[in-house]
Amino acid sequence: MEEKSLKLAILLIIAYLLGSIPSGIWIGKWFFNVDVRKHGSGNIGTTNTYRVLGKKAGTIVMIMDILKGTLATSLPFFFNVNISPIIFGIFAILGHTFSIFDKFKGGKAVATSAGMLLAIHPILFLCACIFEFSFTYITSMVSLASMISFPLIVILLFLDNDPWLGTIGLLLTIFIFIRHRKNIIRIKEGNENLVPFGLIYNHRNK
């Protein structure tokens, strides 16, 4: 029993450490000698990395943030632990948001949450990607696209008769909204950062 508990504790720590990997910071410093925290919005996630370092760096950070959520969530499958993989995914999300490598600061958990969904429900992950990219194109705002997409995924989870995952998704949605509170203020004031494409961006730059 003690051995199982120790194994579980170690794997949860690994999940947290995987989530804590500050992809944006490391990619920026190692390959561009740039600290993304000191530029743009100051966020270490995909959008600010894309804005500060360009498409390739932003894409790499997005993939890394997704995969660390997927890998952490998959740990109980790899090590035959009879605990819900969602728990491991949550630890990765906490690591991403409160990274031990970034003085317990971090990103907004969108990509890592998507990575958890990829490990648990690949079809809904695909739906989430479609929602995110579609609403990003319509609004030209990644933050708003994320805040629209998350509730839609939660609805699909409940329609899929998965109340446990749906409840977790609902709690994550609330968490995502809290993490985006500054973005919500900027959206209301009409000065949220736009990606350089999409309907609103094109309309403002006619």
Side-chain angles (χ1 to χ4, degrees), residues 140 193-206:
S140 299
N193 296 314
L194 302 182
V195 294
F197 63 85
L199 299 183
I200 291 181
Y201 177 82
N202 292 335
H203 176 73
R204 291 187 182 179
N205 290 275
K206 282 184 177 180

Side-chain angles (χ1 to χ4, degrees), residues 154-172:
V154 171
I155 292 171
L156 291 179
L157 286 170
F158 281 111
L159 290 176
D160 194 43
N161 294 317
D162 197 335
W164 162 238
L165 189 54
T167 301
I168 296 298
L170 180 59
L171 293 174
L172 277 177

Side-chain angles (χ1 to χ4, degrees), residues 13-201:
I13 291 172
I14 291 173
Y16 168 81
L17 292 175
L18 283 170
S20 290
I21 295 173
S23 310
I25 297 175
W26 288 1
I27 293 296
K29 285 187 174 181
W30 291 348
F31 297 100
F32 298 88
N33 197 29
V34 172
D35 189 341
V36 294
R37 295 169 295 184
K38 298 179 180 179
H39 301 273
S41 66
N43 190 266
I44 67 172
T46 299
T47 305
N48 195 48
T49 304
Y50 176 92
R51 185 182 300 118
V52 175
L53 302 179
K55 293 181 181 179
K56 290 184 179 179
T59 301
I60 291 171
V61 168
M62 178 182 67
I63 292 172
M64 289 180 66
D65 285 348
I66 290 174
L67 288 181
K68 66 189 187 183
T70 303
L71 182 58
T73 306
S74 301
L75 286 175
F77 304 129
F78 297 150
F79 292 94
N80 193 27
V81 177
N82 191 25
I83 299 292
S84 173
I86 296 173
I87 304 299
F88 291 84
I90 291 173
F91 268 74
I93 291 168
L94 290 174
H96 178 77
T97 311
F98 308 106
S99 172
I100 193 172
F101 303 115
D102 189 24
K103 300 178 181 179
F104 296 99
K105 299 177 182 178
K108 295 178 180 176
V110 174
T112 308
S113 298
M116 180 179 74
L117 187 62
L118 174 59
I120 297 171
H121 206 314
I123 293 177
L124 284 187
F125 169 79
L126 179 60
C127 291
C129 291
I130 293 172
F131 289 153
E132 183 74 20
F133 288 119
S134 297
F135 290 120
T136 297
Y137 180 78
I138 292 170
T139 67
S140 299
M141 289 178 271
V142 176
S143 57
L144 183 55
S146 298
M147 288 186 284
I148 295 173
S149 300
F150 265 77
L152 292 177
I153 290 298
V154 171
I155 292 171
L156 291 179
L157 286 170
F158 281 111
L159 290 176
D160 194 43
N161 294 317
D162 197 335
W164 162 238
L165 189 54
T167 301
I168 296 298
L170 180 59
L171 293 174
L172 277 177
T173 299
I174 295 171
F175 183 64
I176 292 294
F177 271 74
I178 292 172
R179 296 292 293 172
H180 281 81
R181 57 191 182 278
K182 292 182 180 179
N183 302 84
I184 294 172
I185 293 173
R186 290 197 295 266
I187 291 170
K188 289 181 178 179
E189 294 175 347
N191 56 13
E192 172 67 322
N193 296 314
L194 302 182
V195 294
F197 63 85
L199 299 183
I200 291 181
Y201 177 82

